[in-house]
Amino acid sequence: MVSPAIAFAFIPFLMTLVIRYRYYFLLFWRAVVLRKVQDYVTGLSREERAFHYVMSNCIPGDPENILGTFDEWCFHSEYLSNLGPEKGRILERLIYENAPQTVLELGTYCGYSTLRMARTLTLNARLYTVEMDERNAAVAEKVIRMAGFDEDTVEQIVRPSDEVIPQFREKFEVDKIDFVFMNHWKRCYLRDLQLLEDYNLLREGSIILADNVIFTGAPHFMQYAKSCGKYGWKIHRTHLDYFRHIRDGMAELTYTGVK
């Protein structure tokens, strides 16, 4: 049995731990505890709850307003792992600067980053967005169409990414992909990057932008990108979506094809 003196000795340590990591505790509360309570009470997923809020408060056909309504929900109601405004601006800038004609998004989630990219595309460019979770894909499909983007601009594919990539050229008649945005399961980043290479879907100069490479991190993906000799790379240092006190980053890779 622990004596009271020893127990009291740990109090300053515990207080220091709580203060130092308070934002991580807050993230856990909002993303896990509150989510489970709300799931039980409402019978809806948090993504569906967010969609109902957005649908009730946004202006259909106005992507900027829809994005802002999503941000309002995420800042003040429940946490969603959307891209958020800070990272969203980086994504849009890269789309604008590189003017890709063919974009592949891995991880549609609720369609937030899809809208960010779709509204920045040049004329006749096309975005293919892949989501394996059928419930999230259903939400994203409604969001994308509510924003005014048709299937000629944005096509959603509801399948696992490792099934889509090998069949991508044959099914969608796409020779090369100009821009890839990865925001799905971090453990899949390296696998899917190598699939893109194996099926010769990247051209010299293709951009791969990968989110959350600092929090929660994708170490094997980054180690490969730095050491394989096929990519130029840099890190955009940012913060976790809707948590400005938690550091995060996005990795921008440029495919050179050099081994």
Side-chain angles (χ1 to χ4, degrees):
M1 185 174 180
V2 179
S3 70
I6 295 176
F8 279 118
F10 274 99
I11 290 177
F13 170 75
L14 292 174
M15 291 300 296
T16 300
L17 197 66
V18 169
I19 293 170
R20 182 173 181 179
Y21 294 102
R22 62 191 181 279
Y23 298 110
Y24 296 90
F25 288 122
L26 179 59
L27 174 62
F28 179 78
W29 168 258
R30 294 189 62 196
V32 179
V33 178
L34 183 60
R35 172 190 180 179
K36 289 186 179 297
V37 171
Q38 292 288 71
D39 286 353
Y40 178 78
V41 170
T42 65
L44 300 171
S45 70
R46 62 177 174 178
E47 294 79 15
E48 290 168 329
R49 292 192 293 275
F51 172 72
H52 287 306
Y53 177 84
V54 170
M55 185 174 62
S56 301
N57 293 276
C58 77
I59 302 172
D62 185 341
E64 177 70 26
N65 183 265
I66 293 171
L67 290 166
T69 308
F70 259 121
D71 291 335
E72 183 178 306
W73 169 268
C74 295
F75 276 123
H76 303 296
S77 296
E78 290 186 69
Y79 175 78
L80 289 178
S81 53
N82 284 334
L83 198 61
E86 181 185 16
K87 292 177 180 177
R89 287 190 289 270
I90 294 172
L91 176 60
E92 287 185 282
R93 176 174 58 79
L94 290 175
I95 293 287
Y96 177 79
E97 290 175 351
N98 291 279
Q101 285 297 293
T102 303
V103 178
L104 175 63
E105 178 182 32
L106 302 178
T108 317
Y109 193 45
C110 292
Y112 181 97
S113 53
T114 312
L115 298 194
R116 288 272 184 186
M117 290 187 285
R119 70 176 186 167
T120 317
L121 293 175
T122 58
L123 187 65
N124 298 323
R126 192 160 195 200
L127 167 58
Y128 299 89
T129 182
V130 179
E131 174 58 53
M132 66 176 292
D133 187 299
E134 293 184 0
R135 292 183 73 177
N136 290 345
V139 169
E141 180 72 15
K142 295 171 186 174
V143 168
I144 294 164
R145 305 312 168 203
M146 183 169 63
F149 299 108
D150 60 24
E151 291 189 355
D152 290 333
T153 302
V154 179
E155 181 168 350
Q156 183 172 211
I157 306 161
V158 188
R159 287 173 60 194
S161 55
D162 62 332
E163 293 180 9
V164 173
I165 294 171
Q167 301 177 5
F168 197 77
R169 177 178 284 108
E170 178 182 346
K171 186 164 184 179
F172 299 101
E173 299 181 349
V174 171
D175 184 48
K176 301 290 183 183
I177 299 170
D178 303 311
F179 193 102
V180 180
F181 179 50
M182 292 185 171
N183 195 21
H184 55 326
W185 293 106
K186 311 309 168 247
R187 64 176 181 268
C188 298
Y189 280 15
L190 177 56
R191 179 201 68 190
D192 289 348
L193 181 66
Q194 292 176 329
L195 280 174
L196 290 166
E197 295 172 1
D198 292 343
Y199 286 90
N200 198 28
L201 287 166
L202 301 176
R203 61 167 178 80
E204 185 176 348
S206 290
I207 302 294
I208 298 93
L209 183 67
D211 191 21
N212 302 127
V213 297
I214 294 177
F215 184 89
T216 53
H220 299 298
F221 168 82
M222 287 307 305
Q223 182 180 16
Y224 176 79
K226 293 175 183 179
S227 64
C228 70
K230 300 177 184 178
Y231 300 94
W233 64 274
K234 65 179 178 179
I235 301 294
H236 298 274
R237 297 194 176 275
T238 61
H239 302 88
L240 184 65
D241 330 326
Y242 309 109
F243 276 84
R244 63 186 181 89
H245 295 286
I246 299 178
R247 294 179 181 178
D248 197 6
M250 307 171 83
E252 179 190 344
L253 313 183
T254 304
Y255 184 67
T256 64
V258 178
K259 296 184 180 180

